[in-house]
């Protein structure tokens, strides 16, 4: 696929095989290949592919006729875009003021310690991604976090660790079942 | 649609609502949703459907926007046609169904409803949040029944752009994003700028940690914002508007895009609005997580699809903004104030608030208070009233230490200034600011140097890196604050910190850098003894910082091997 994207002919030969690329192409069309729509297109790309790798960024830069450095610059400037694939489980701890005052820092520190990782990283086995968000706007539930999109409010470090381990255990049990 | 049709649609909807035997309002905004409102809703819907099969029930379940007391969610309000109103808090699907069943059976509810005269509600003045909690934001008819687009129809028929600008000017409305620039003056500037194209932008990129007013307004009453923008478009001569929503607010973006479509379909946006000669389109732009994009020039570069880096002003957006054309940028809350002003008149609006700060302000009250949530109060209210009357004081008998306002650009107001009236000038005098309206109450368990460090870390992360004072200054200040909270600082560090604060304040390019030192300077002024306790006595009075475990001298990563080598040799 790399060659076809680099050659700038994704339209004819490869697109039919990849429905996700088709989806991206459709959204590009919706925005009339306008360069202003770069951020919108990257949003859709990340939604469909999960993250933005080099190939996707190349593809977008070709279709929008923007220099690759420009596209890369935008993709790295905004926190929302991720250039690396995420782990099986994603834990986002809110580090807004209300959560911080009520001890969200402690929660992050404990998870970092338990999985020997830093916030913003994924564990080497790809099981968990830990992120610290700048206020998710659920201040009345402080300290709060989301685990795989599910909101957990009024958390303690122990409860959070337990919830993460429970998630991992469930997935493992399911995998063993299918075996 | 023409104004007459708009009027009859509103009448029709009001009549329909009156005929319902019972109306249930379930708070369906983000905080209540995360507390489980969706489960309550499906349980109630199942119960209603079951009952409807037997054909004896005529009621409506409305999934509304925010009702206010978020810490008490999920919330349910029951309204009978006679006007009887009861509100229930902290619901589970079971209790919600039980409440409804007992209501049908004419029995008293299983749980006590919230007191009607709760100061949380009675002390508020709701202008912006007037519809919030009373309408389903995804149904345009319900907004119209409460008067949405009525002001727009009136303006298009009765007023010329100059009169609209003058009304806004004489109402005394000021920008609700934090700066407090007079809104009418800004509108007038854009109106007078000669250009073939103009733009209107609503700033919904609310990055302040601890603030979620804009999100709630967009989620609960999207049509109010759209109407305000359309009126602004008419007053300034713009035909295109953008509403820039923070990437972290998917629900707000979804409801807005739905609202835009609905309004376009009804001819309330788009071309020849309400059968007048006025055309106005609104497009939605979703941000991607960058605090600096709340700054107006950075926001505009982001709308144009680039890295959200600010550009020096002047020229101000009113002269040269999006693609070089005159652009009007206002906060979402500012736009939400526009329709009521034009409907009720400038004099009515300027009746609220203080001499220089008119109207109301929405605050997100959270932290160590009993009732946290979203409140709207008139300007000039005492901070004490907000915290102790509306907020219900601190839980577990905690003592009030400070209230943080204005996010990373603001500061902490200590207990000694609890009687300060909350308006633009008084807050500024205290070294804080209105900001977009986050209000976080702290008790004795918060360490002020640690809070300052927290905000500096935020600014360091979010600095776009374009100008040196902000890029390097925030990192250096964060270093010093880390040393202080680690117990590795000396008194000279404090001097350097203050110097750096002044330097960054005076030489940064945009608002982010200019205001980044505020939390530090402000806590240094009111809580200097805490800083001194950390440095001199190596003690944290709030017992937050761990001073004993960190060595005084911290070696950098690359020097560690050298240290081991030296230790072995010597």
């Amino acid at each position: 696929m790399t060659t076809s994207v680099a050659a700038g002919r994704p339209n004819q030969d490869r697109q039919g095989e990849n429905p996700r690329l088709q989806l991206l192409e459709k959204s590009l069309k919706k925005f009339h290949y306008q360069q202003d729509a770069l951020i919108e297109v990257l949003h859709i790309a990340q939604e469909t592919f999960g993250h933005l790798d080099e190939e996707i960024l190349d593809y977008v830069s070709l279709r929008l006729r923007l220099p690759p450095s420009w596209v890369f610059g935008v993709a790295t400037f905004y926190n929302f875009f991720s250039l690396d694939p995420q782990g099986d489980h994603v834990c986002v701890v809110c580090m807004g003021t209300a959560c911080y005052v009520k001890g969200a820092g402690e929660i992050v520190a404990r998870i970092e310690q338990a999985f020997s990782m830093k916030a913003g990283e994924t564990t080497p086995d790809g099981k968990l991604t830990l992120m610290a968000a700048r206020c998710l706007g659920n201040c009345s539930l402080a300290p709060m976090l989301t685990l795989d999109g599910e909101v957990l409010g009024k958390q303690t470090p122990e409860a959070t660790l337990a919830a993460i381990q429970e998630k991992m255990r469930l997935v493992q049990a399911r995998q063993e079942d299918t075996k | 649609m023409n104004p007459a049709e708009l009027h009859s649609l509103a009448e029709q909807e009001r009549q329909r609502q009156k005929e319902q035997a019972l109306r249930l309002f379930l708070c369906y905004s983000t905080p209540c949703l995360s507390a489980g409102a969706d489960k309550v809703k499906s349980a109630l819907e199942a119960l209603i459907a079951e009952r409807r099969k037997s054909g004896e029930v005529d009621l409506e379940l409305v999934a509304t926007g925010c009702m206010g007391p978020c810490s008490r969610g999920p919330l349910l309000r029951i309204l009978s046609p006679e006007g009887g109103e009861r509100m229930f808090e902290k619901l589970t699907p079971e209790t919600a169904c039980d409440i409804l069943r007992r209501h049908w059976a004419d029995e008293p509810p299983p749980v006590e409803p919230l007191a009607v005269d709760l100061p949380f509600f009675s002390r508020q003045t709701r202008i912006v949040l007037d519809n919030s909690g009373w309408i389903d934001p995804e149904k345009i008819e319900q907004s119209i029944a409460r008067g949405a687009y009525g002001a727009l129809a009136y303006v298009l028929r009765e007023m010329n752009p100059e009169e609209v600008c003058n009304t806004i000017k004489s109402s005394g409305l000021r920008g609700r994003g934090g700066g407090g620039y007079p809104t009418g003056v800004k509108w007038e500037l854009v109106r007078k700028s000669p250009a073939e194209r103009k733009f209107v932008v609503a700033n919904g990129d609310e990055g302040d940690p601890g603030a979620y007013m804009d999100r709630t307004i967009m989620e609960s009453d999207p049509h109010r914002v759209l109407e305000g923008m359309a009126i602004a478009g008419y007053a300034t001569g713009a035909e295109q508007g953008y509403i820039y929503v923070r990437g972290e607010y998917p629900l707000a973006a979804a409801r807005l895009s739905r609202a835009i479509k609905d309004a376009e379909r009804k001819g309330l946006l788009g071309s020849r609005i309400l059968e007048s000669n006025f055309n106005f389109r609104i497009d939605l732009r979703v941000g991607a997580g960058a605090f600096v994009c709340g700054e107006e020039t950075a926001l505009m570069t982001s709308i144009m699809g680039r890295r959200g880096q600010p550009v020096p002003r002047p020229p101000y957006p009113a002269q040269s903004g999006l693609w070089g054309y005159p652009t009007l940028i206002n906060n979402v809350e500012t736009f939400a104030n526009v329709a009521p002003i034009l409907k009720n008149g400038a004099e009515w609006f300027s009746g609220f608030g203080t001499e220089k700060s008119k109207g109301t302000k929405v605050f997100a009250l959270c932290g160590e208070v009993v009732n946290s949530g979203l409140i709207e109060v008139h300007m000039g209210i005492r901070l004490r009233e907000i915290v102790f009357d509306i907020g219900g004081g601190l839980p577990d008998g905690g003592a009030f230490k400070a209230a943080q306002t204005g996010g990373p650009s603001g500061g902490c107001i200590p207990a000694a200034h609890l009687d300060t009236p909350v308006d633009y000038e008084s807050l500024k005098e205290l070294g804080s600011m209105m900001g977009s309206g986050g209000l976080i109450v702290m008790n004795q368990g918060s360490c002020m140097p640690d809070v300052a460090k927290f905000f500096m870390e935020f600014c360091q992360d979010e600095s776009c890196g374009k100008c040196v004072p902000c890029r390097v200054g925030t990192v250096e200040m964060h270093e010093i604050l880390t040393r202080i909270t680690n117990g590795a600082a000396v008194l000279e560090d404090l001097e350097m910190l203050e110097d750096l604060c002044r330097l960054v304040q005076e030489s940064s390019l945009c608002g982010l850098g200019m205001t980044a030192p505020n939390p530090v300077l402000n806590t240094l002024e009111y809580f200097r003894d805490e800083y001194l306790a950390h440095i001199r006595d190596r003690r944290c009075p709030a017992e937050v910082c761990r001073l004993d475990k960190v060595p005084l001298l911290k070696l950098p990563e690359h020097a560690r091997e050298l240290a081991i080598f030296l230790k072995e040799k010597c």
Side-chain angles (χ1 to χ4, degrees):
Chain A
M1 175 134 81
T2 326
T3 50
S4 81
V5 168
R9 291 180 285 103
N11 237 349
Q12 299 100 19
D13 36 309
R14 292 287 166 180
Q15 222 189 80
E17 292 168 27
N18 193 340
R20 291 198 285 192
L21 213 56
Q22 258 178 334
L23 208 71
L24 182 59
E25 186 62 37
K26 216 171 116 189
S27 64
L28 279 163
K29 209 173 201 171
K30 194 181 117 196
F31 290 112
H32 306 287
Y33 300 94
Q34 264 179 356
Q35 299 182 334
D36 314 332
L38 175 59
I39 294 173
E40 265 65 35
V41 170
L42 289 181
H43 264 300
I44 292 162
Q46 171 144 317
E47 221 168 86
T48 31
F49 290 90
H51 67 286
L52 302 171
D53 60 17
E54 225 171 278
E55 228 174 276
I56 304 164
L57 292 179
D58 258 357
Y59 181 78
V60 171
S61 87
L62 267 172
R63 302 303 281 160
L64 291 182
R65 295 172 192 281
L66 282 168
S69 60
W70 181 300
V71 177
F72 186 76
V74 169
T76 47
F77 182 81
Y78 295 98
N79 299 332
F80 198 83
F81 299 128
S82 155
L83 270 58
D84 301 309
Q86 300 207 315
D88 298 343
H89 302 285
V90 183
C91 180
V92 186
V93 183
C94 177
M95 287 283 266
T97 321
C99 291
Y100 184 77
V101 166
K102 289 197 164 189
E106 187 71 14
I107 296 178
V108 173
R110 281 290 288 278
I111 301 175
E112 284 180 342
Q113 202 187 354
F115 293 92
S116 41
M117 65 196 297
K118 283 253 169 273
E121 288 177 355
T122 305
T123 48
D125 58 1
K127 284 236 167 88
L128 180 74
T129 302
L130 174 68
M131 290 198 283
R134 295 303 184 190
C135 197
L136 297 170
N138 266 328
C139 309
S140 52
L141 293 174
M144 60 83 62
L145 51 97
T146 64
L147 186 57
D148 294 348
E150 191 188 327
V151 177
L152 304 176
K154 301 197 172 147
Q155 288 287 300
T156 58
E158 290 77 31
T160 311
L161 276 179
I164 294 173
Q165 263 140 12
E166 178 67 18
K167 281 257 176 194
M168 287 186 166
R169 202 182 54 75
L170 275 178
V171 170
Q172 207 164 15
R174 211 176 300 143
Q175 276 169 354
E176 272 163 23
D177 273 358
T178 47
K179 271 180 200 165
Chain B
M1 185 179 266
N2 59 34
E5 282 165 355
L6 183 75
H7 187 74
S8 76
L9 183 67
E11 266 310 307
Q12 220 176 314
E13 172 67 18
R14 275 196 285 267
Q15 194 55 41
R16 188 193 68 80
Q17 290 178 4
K18 232 184 249 169
E19 282 162 12
Q20 302 284 336
L22 202 61
R23 299 189 79 213
L24 303 176
F25 298 85
L26 180 68
C27 182
Y28 216 57
S29 64
T30 307
C32 278
L33 270 173
S34 36
D38 48 343
K39 290 188 194 97
V40 174
K41 188 179 175 218
S42 32
L44 281 174
E45 269 170 354
L47 182 70
I48 294 167
E50 201 180 288
R51 181 98 172 189
R52 203 166 267 154
K53 260 186 212 155
S54 51
E56 54 181 313
V57 47
D58 198 13
L59 64 80
E60 186 187 21
L61 178 63
V62 187
T64 69
C66 185
M67 291 185 183
C70 304
S71 58
R72 292 168 180 265
L75 292 152
L76 178 74
R77 181 192 282 141
I78 298 185
L79 186 72
S80 46
E82 304 86 54
E85 180 193 328
R86 277 179 301 173
M87 196 169 187
F88 297 91
E89 59 172 339
K90 292 185 181 160
L91 288 176
T92 59
E94 292 78 41
T95 43
C97 290
D98 208 18
I99 289 168
L100 191 55
R101 267 193 222 108
R102 292 209 190 190
H103 183 93
W104 282 327
D106 261 337
E107 285 170 23
V111 284
E112 275 298 303
L114 271 179
V116 195
D117 54 350
L118 201 68
F120 185 92
F121 295 108
S122 58
R123 301 296 284 270
Q124 292 192 42
T125 314
R126 284 164 90 96
I127 296 175
V128 171
L129 298 177
D130 188 26
N131 294 340
S132 174
W134 289 102
I135 54 166
D136 184 340
E138 296 185 11
K139 297 210 168 97
I140 189 171
E141 292 83 9
Q142 298 195 359
S143 294
I144 291 175
R146 282 186 76 94
Y149 298 103
L152 178 63
Y154 175 78
V155 165
L156 291 180
R157 202 175 53 228
E158 308 280 346
M159 293 169 95
N160 64 31
E162 198 180 346
E163 285 167 355
V164 180
C165 288
N166 283 339
T167 308
I168 298 291
K169 234 196 265 177
S170 57
S171 75
L173 176 66
R174 295 171 66 175
R176 295 292 192 245
Y181 190 79
T183 307
V185 176
K186 210 189 231 179
W187 286 30
E188 188 75 35
L189 279 175
V190 179
R191 187 180 72 80
K192 283 187 177 158
S193 296
E196 49 189 289
R197 292 184 75 189
K198 290 175 189 176
F199 295 99
V200 170
V201 175
N203 183 348
D205 186 273
E206 171 186 55
D208 280 10
Y212 56 98
M213 298 72 49
D214 290 351
R215 181 193 68 194
T216 308
I217 294 166
M218 293 185 287
E219 265 178 25
S220 311
D221 199 359
H223 290 288
R224 175 72 76 81
V225 183
L226 301 182
E227 188 183 1
M229 287 175 74
I231 293 172
Y234 176 72
T236 56
E239 296 202 332
Q240 171 72 48
Y242 290 100
I243 179 158
Y244 189 91
V245 185
R246 207 177 155 214
E248 284 86 341
Y249 295 168
L251 188 63
R255 284 185 181 167
L256 273 171
S257 92
R258 167 90 194 249
I260 293 172
K261 260 190 210 133
D262 285 348
E264 277 175 356
R265 206 166 293 145
K266 291 225 180 304
L268 299 165
L269 283 179
S271 38
R272 297 186 46 81
I273 292 173
L274 287 158
E275 292 182 9
S276 68
N277 287 328
F278 173 57
N279 310 320
F280 193 70
R281 267 185 62 83
I282 296 180
D283 281 315
L284 188 69
R285 284 279 182 272
V286 179
F291 177 63
V292 70
C293 286
E295 202 276 338
E296 55 183 16
T297 57
L299 184 136
M300 290 189 306
T301 48
S302 183
I303 287 183
M304 294 188 278
R306 302 183 205 157
R307 292 164 67 101
Q309 288 181 317
V311 287
R313 296 177 306 181
Y316 286 92
Q319 291 135 21
S320 165
L322 281 174
W323 295 283
Y325 294 109
T327 304
L328 173 77
I329 293 196
N330 277 145
N331 185 265
V332 161
E333 193 186 332
T334 317
F335 280 121
N337 271 304
V338 168
I341 292 176
L342 288 157
K343 193 192 273 170
N344 301 310
E347 257 173 52
W348 166 83
F349 187 79
S350 55
F352 299 96
T354 62
E355 201 198 329
K356 284 185 175 162
S357 309
K358 302 288 183 201
T360 59
K361 177 80 190 88
V362 183
F363 285 103
L365 180 63
C366 48
E368 300 287 344
V369 278
V370 174
N371 302 323
S372 58
L374 207 75
I375 56 167
E376 184 175 354
V377 289
H378 62 86
M379 292 271 188
I381 190 170
R382 316 261 151 196
L383 189 59
R384 187 185 296 279
E385 289 174 66
I386 296 184
V387 176
F388 290 95
D389 297 346
I390 297 175
L394 282 80
D396 311 322
F400 177 88
K401 184 175 189 176
Q404 210 281 341
T405 65
S409 324
C412 299
I413 302 168
H417 293 285
L418 261 174
D419 284 311
T420 313
V422 175
D423 59 40
Y424 291 97
E425 274 73 27
S426 319
L427 289 184
K428 212 165 190 180
E429 243 166 64
L430 293 177
S432 183
M433 68 186 277
M434 184 77 79
S436 52
L439 211 162
I440 295 137
V441 180
M442 299 181 197
N443 65 7
Q444 295 302 332
S446 296
C447 166
M448 288 302 152
D450 185 59
V451 169
K453 187 184 89 178
F454 166 77
F455 283 118
M456 199 46 72
E457 193 187 350
F458 182 90
C459 292
Q460 173 198 323
D461 269 6
E462 295 293 342
S463 167
C464 78
K466 188 171 179 175
C467 72
V468 182
C470 175
R471 184 179 69 225
V472 183
T474 49
V475 173
E476 279 303 317
M477 286 193 278
H478 182 248
E479 278 285 297
I480 298 175
L481 286 164
T482 312
R483 277 214 292 280
I484 292 175
T485 50
N486 279 349
V490 287
L491 276 175
E492 282 77 47
D493 280 331
L494 213 54
E495 250 171 65
M496 189 150 75
L497 182 64
E498 277 176 292
D499 269 1
L500 259 173
C501 282
R502 302 257 145 64
L503 183 113
V504 174
Q505 217 168 26
E506 279 163 25
S507 52
S508 290
L509 171 62
C510 83
L512 195 155
M514 283 181 220
T515 57
N518 283 2
V520 183
L521 284 173
N522 174 271
T523 47
L524 267 172
E525 188 180 343
Y526 296 119
F527 302 96
R528 201 179 186 89
D529 48 335
E530 281 192 37
Y531 281 88
L532 291 176
H534 280 78
I535 298 170
R536 246 192 235 145
D537 317 335
R538 307 222 317 114
R539 184 177 71 84
C540 174
E543 294 175 1
V544 172
C545 312
R546 291 188 192 142
L547 296 156
D548 48 350
K549 287 181 190 157
V550 184
L552 263 175
L553 185 69
K554 217 173 146 193
L555 282 173
E557 200 65 38
H558 60 268
R560 200 164 288 164
E561 266 173 47
L562 182 74
I564 295 166
F565 174 77
L566 285 174
K567 211 173 167 189
E568 279 168 4
K569 290 284 166 194
C570 309

